[in-house]
Structures are given as structure tokens and as C-alpha cells.
Amino acid sequence: MIQIAHLDDPRVADYAHVGDPSWLRQHNVFVAEGRLVVRRLFEAGSFSVRSVLVTPAALAAMRDALDPERCPVHVCEQQTMNDLAGFNFHRGCLAIADRPPAIDPLARFADARC
């Protein structure tokens, strides 16, 4: 577990953009918010999780689901998380994962003969 004390720590710089959908799309990532969603993200095992940012309380509640071998787990105080994200994020748990490639809904019809 990596303790984060300062907003300018480059290891958590991506979390400053969690409220910016265009930045997230541009960088091919998505944000999982909250303990249940982050837990399911790890359980699914089909996403490349870049990192997790949790408060000490969320870490205590999720220690069994978080895998520091799979990705960095950053721990910070609630106010630091709020300041970093740019809004009052009371759930205490965020994860950033690689966005899966987009699927063209018409691709399956490309070889169909009319």
C-alpha cells in the first residue's frame, strides 16, 4: 500500500481528471467509483486496473479484494481524495482501469449478404 500525502504526487495525477469524461476517453481509461464497483472490477478479472485510490476506512473494508500485486493501491485521507478529484467524493474508493476497445455494432453485419 502506498501512502499519498500530497495532491501533486505524480502517482495519483490521473485522479485529478475523474470528473472529465473527455480526458478519460482521450486516455482510454474509465473510473470505477465506490467499494462495490471496485470490488466487482477486481472480481471480474477481465480489466487491466491501473491503480486504486482509497481512504483508510475503505482500505480496511476492502483489503481482501485489493491486490497490490495486480496494481498500485494508493491510500490517502478523505480530504486529500476530495481535493484531488475536485469534488466531495464520500465513497472513499476509486479505481482507474483501461477502457476496453470500442465495438462497432454494425461489424457483425459486414459479411452478411443482402
Side-chain angles (χ1 to χ4, degrees):
M1 308 305 161
I2 304 164
Q3 194 67 36
I4 302 296
H6 301 287
L7 297 177
D8 60 353
D9 190 319
R11 296 173 292 184
V12 293
D14 289 350
Y15 291 94
H17 303 283
V18 297
D20 184 353
S22 63
W23 186 93
L24 296 170
R25 278 191 303 276
Q26 207 172 30
H27 290 84
N28 292 318
V29 297
F30 69 94
V31 179
E33 304 177 23
R35 296 174 191 183
L36 177 63
V37 176
V38 171
R39 183 178 291 278
R40 294 227 170 118
L41 180 67
F42 274 94
E43 288 171 355
S46 55
F47 295 96
S48 176
V49 181
R50 290 187 180 186
S51 68
V52 176
L53 180 66
V54 293
T55 62
L59 175 62
M62 297 188 57
R63 191 174 292 274
D64 64 313
L66 299 177
D67 182 0
E69 297 294 322
R70 184 171 172 190
C71 74
V73 176
H74 305 289
V75 182
C76 68
E77 293 302 320
Q78 183 67 56
Q79 190 58 51
T80 303
M81 181 179 283
N82 293 349
D83 292 344
L84 185 59
F87 56 92
N88 186 7
F89 188 80
H90 62 277
R91 295 182 188 139
C93 184
L94 293 168
I96 293 184
D98 291 326
R99 185 182 296 267
I103 298 171
D104 180 358
L106 300 177
R108 67 183 182 136
F109 299 111
D111 294 329
R113 296 180 190 215
C114 297

